[in-house]
Amino acid sequence: MQQTDDDQAGLGGRVTSYDVARRAGVSQSAVSRAFREGASISAELRARIHRAAAALGYAPSHIARALMTQRSRLVGVLVTEATARNNPDILFHLGQHIQEAGNRMLVFTLPDDAAGDGILSDLLSYHVDGLIAATTLPEETLRRCARHGVPVVLYNRHGIAASVACDHTMGMRDLAAYLARTGTRDAAFIAGPQEAPVSEERHRAARAAFAEFGMTLRPAVHADYTHAGGHAATVAVLTGVAPPDTILCANDTMALGAIDACRHTLGLSVPGDVAIAGFDDVPQAGWPSYSLTTVAQPIPDLARAAVHLLVDQIDGRTTANERRLVPAALVVRASSRSAAAG
Amino acid sequence: MQQTDDDQAGLGGRVTSYDVARRAGVSQSAVSRAFREGASISAELRARIHRAAAALGYAPSHIARALMTQRSRLVGVLVTEATARNNPDILFHLGQHIQEAGNRMLVFTLPDDAAGDGILSDLLSYHVDGLIAATTLPEETLRRCARHGVPVVLYNRHGIAASVACDHTMGMRDLAAYLARTGTRDAAFIAGPQEAPVSEERHRAARAAFAEFGMTLRPAVHADYTHAGGHAATVAVLTGVAPPDTILCANDTMALGAIDACRHTLGLSVPGDVAIAGFDDVPQAGWPSYSLTTVAQPIPDLARAAVHLLVDQIDGRTTANERRLVPAALVVRASSRSAAAG
DNA sequence: ATGTCGCTTGCATACGCAGTCAATATTCTT
DNA sequence: AAGAATATTGACTGCGTATGCAAGCGACAT
């Protein structure tokens, strides 16, 4: 029923709506309408055309359709290597939701140093209907997107566009509250690379929260978001004079490196000698060798929200520059002191 | 110099080659040629047109170009959730190489149960120039791709198409040789899900290699590729009568779960009581808390090879159905017994 | 029986660009 | 200096589809 004789397309090029029209004995317009939801066409004709189309293995060309309708049903996604590595599955989740909305995901990968600007004209060349940027984009680029009518949603970033972000402030506040109750007085902060916006934001949130609870947060030590980076920074911090009682890392991977540094390089106990916390709740954080206290960043929710926000903009259903905050949840595990120890 | 007055595109729709032609005082054909590498046009004219184009913020439309040239410069990539999770960064690496070859990556994500067939007509609708499938595809689908002239490269899979795969046989043989030298006599194999082709292949390679070195490899215990799955399977295997002296896992994540099961649930020492090995060399395998002996699957190389193979096919430079094997490297760490212990 | 209205359908055109063909400008040859 | 060869350029058409417009057609009311 599905499989009739299929495509005799052979080598004769692709099957077009004209071929279907000829076979069904109708005009090309009718074929076009048969494949356009809600078009003015009778049920019988539509059925007949669909039969002919199935027999020929015809499917409408998105390319040609895009040219006519000015809607490509393509959503551009910008990622850097660092983003891809720190947010496992982010591309997959974005892809799922983009597809559920009837679109396709066109991925633009950038080297970490970026300058996501040069890519813009390329984006426009593909007539993307919208853009999800998990990358820092210059304001000028965002303005040009707006001028060209391309909606943009920033992922875990702020800027002159709609955005979706994890509620770092709230998450960090919950974490700080817990740490305060369990004996933290003086903490070091291991940050990501200098320019990393999420690290910046988490650091800002941490400063505010630590101040609120009367704890000291030392100036940030910058690392590179990796396990090795966290390891090295931790060794540096803890071998100085007057080591802190707690190490807070801008992401889980560095926190896991910190734990390994304590246990395997410095011979310190976690959380006995020093408490350690991260941010993200990557799968490894829950593994018994680490059992890292952290704040869960709900990537599936972020992805869903980003796509919905974008689709709403594309369909003109929403005001631009809307900002959506997705809650983050504190996850207490064994790398921080227990409540009794306070 | 780059930034002139840019687009006055405002709301008047997109800038076309006609707009540029008018501004530069030439024909539309000339504009087209100015943006086509190697076209017949004088250097001065080209420069003048590029100036006009820059002033207007013009870039040729890939969509329209695709319609004319029958080349979309779009490469489709098929992934399932499991693939995305087990091969971190795979999408990113594929994207990088696809872009270096002057194409763009159009991602098709599939739920794990798949049936990657329904997606084919959609693929063809986008006129993808080629396809990289990190998914199991029915033969019929592959045949239809061939009929439609869409080259396919299978990623870590075999089938009636070109393919790129990690050399599991050689990698497993090296691992088995090392294990044999260090005291392994009787090993359990923790496999992935029933249908997973890479797990199958690694299992087959392991059986052959273990036989060659005169070691026993017990029938596979199936798990789900996750840490929790490896943990549970390990507990089951080691609490039975006559536990094995070695546990070999179809991927690293399960092997890490196995280590955690031994140390944190069963109170066993690794490798003292049981040696453990995996396959992949994910970043966590090298972290000091685990230090897992494994076989490195070079994802960047696989990605590069896949893209090159595909591009060669697209450009007609290579025979179809070519198969490329990328070497895998044994990585000896502390989860297996040391050579002296043999 | 005639006019009107709503639903279908076909015709013709446009979307933005690449490439063919013929015309023109340029250079080289003897 | 004239003719041949070559390098540039422009007018025009087609890639595969969507849609405005007008024509056809049955139903319905008057």
Side-chain angles (χ1 to χ4, degrees), chain B residues 26-27 29-30 33 40-42 45 67-68:
Chain B
V26 297
S27 72
S29 315
R33 282 192 272 260
S40 168
I41 188 172
S42 67
L45 224 209
L67 201 53
M68 269 303 296

Side-chain angles (χ1 to χ4, degrees), chain B:
Chain B
M1 176 159 256
Q2 168 82 303
Q3 202 76 332
T4 38
D5 53 323
D6 203 327
D7 34 1
Q8 50 252 75
L11 301 145
R14 56 180 301 120
V15 185
T16 77
S17 55
Y18 284 98
D19 301 325
V20 177
R22 196 171 317 116
R23 172 156 182 145
V26 297
S27 72
Q28 179 269 329
S29 315
V31 178
S32 171
R33 282 192 272 260
F35 283 90
R36 181 85 208 103
E37 194 71 25
S40 168
I41 188 172
S42 67
E44 310 87 69
L45 224 209
R46 186 189 294 258
R48 181 147 61 95
I49 290 174
H50 277 186
R51 265 196 304 279
L56 293 172
Y58 168 82
S61 158
H62 273 110
I63 298 287
R65 179 175 285 179
L67 201 53
M68 269 303 296
T69 59
Q70 310 286 39
R71 281 281 303 263
S72 62
R73 308 220 68 105
L74 247 31
V75 170
V77 172
L78 249 60
V79 289
T80 60
E81 179 160 14
T83 306
R85 226 195 293 282
N86 287 317
N87 304 44
D89 300 338
I90 180 181
L91 279 177
F92 185 84
H93 282 111
L94 286 175
Q96 280 297 114
H97 290 113
I98 287 172
Q99 286 178 203
E100 276 167 21
N103 299 304
R104 288 290 165 194
M105 175 169 72
L106 192 62
V107 177
F108 294 75
T109 61
L110 293 175
D112 273 340
D113 43 35
D117 195 34
I119 222 153
L120 178 59
S121 63
D122 211 38
L123 264 162
L124 298 174
S125 296
Y126 277 105
H127 296 216
V128 294
D129 292 340
L131 185 59
I132 295 177
T135 312
T136 305
L137 249 34
E139 281 216 351
E140 174 56 20
T141 301
L142 292 175
R143 254 191 294 275
R144 287 175 65 188
C145 287
R147 265 207 303 273
H148 285 275
V150 178
V152 178
V153 171
L154 302 174
Y155 182 94
N156 251 349
R157 272 158 183 75
H158 296 315
I160 49 170
S163 63
V164 167
C166 170
D167 190 344
H168 295 122
T169 304
M170 188 61 91
M172 207 50 107
R173 193 179 176 286
D174 289 350
L175 175 60
Y178 181 81
L179 291 176
R181 264 189 294 129
T182 55
T184 290
R185 295 291 168 260
D186 174 16
F189 187 84
I190 300 182
Q194 289 282 157
E195 343 74 35
V198 275
S199 173
E200 279 303 306
E201 189 157 348
R202 289 172 183 180
H203 189 202
R204 184 171 19 253
R207 275 199 308 263
F210 270 60
E212 177 179 349
F213 291 101
M215 301 181 289
T216 300
L217 187 66
R218 305 184 177 190
V221 175
H222 286 275
D224 63 355
Y225 268 157
T226 68
H227 181 279
H231 185 113
T234 298
V235 170
V237 163
L238 291 182
T239 54
V241 295
D245 58 44
T246 298
I247 293 183
L248 177 57
C249 298
N251 76 346
D252 277 359
T253 304
M254 292 195 295
L256 299 175
I259 293 179
D260 279 331
C262 290
R263 292 188 183 148
H264 298 276
T265 300
L266 301 170
L268 297 175
S269 138
V270 177
D273 296 314
V274 57
I276 294 181
F279 206 118
D280 276 346
D281 197 25
V282 298
Q284 294 81 32
W287 294 357
S289 288
Y290 293 104
S291 194
L292 176 69
T293 289
T294 186
V295 179
Q297 166 176 255
I299 290 185
D301 294 346
L302 281 168
R304 187 197 342 274
V307 173
H308 285 179
L309 215 52
L310 185 66
V311 169
D312 282 352
Q313 263 186 280
I314 291 174
D315 295 342
R317 268 198 304 273
T318 203
T319 70
N321 292 28
E322 183 169 339
R323 171 165 308 172
R324 192 109 75 208
L325 237 44
V326 178
L330 175 64
V331 180
V332 174
R333 296 204 186 91
S335 72
S336 56
R337 301 178 194 88
S338 66

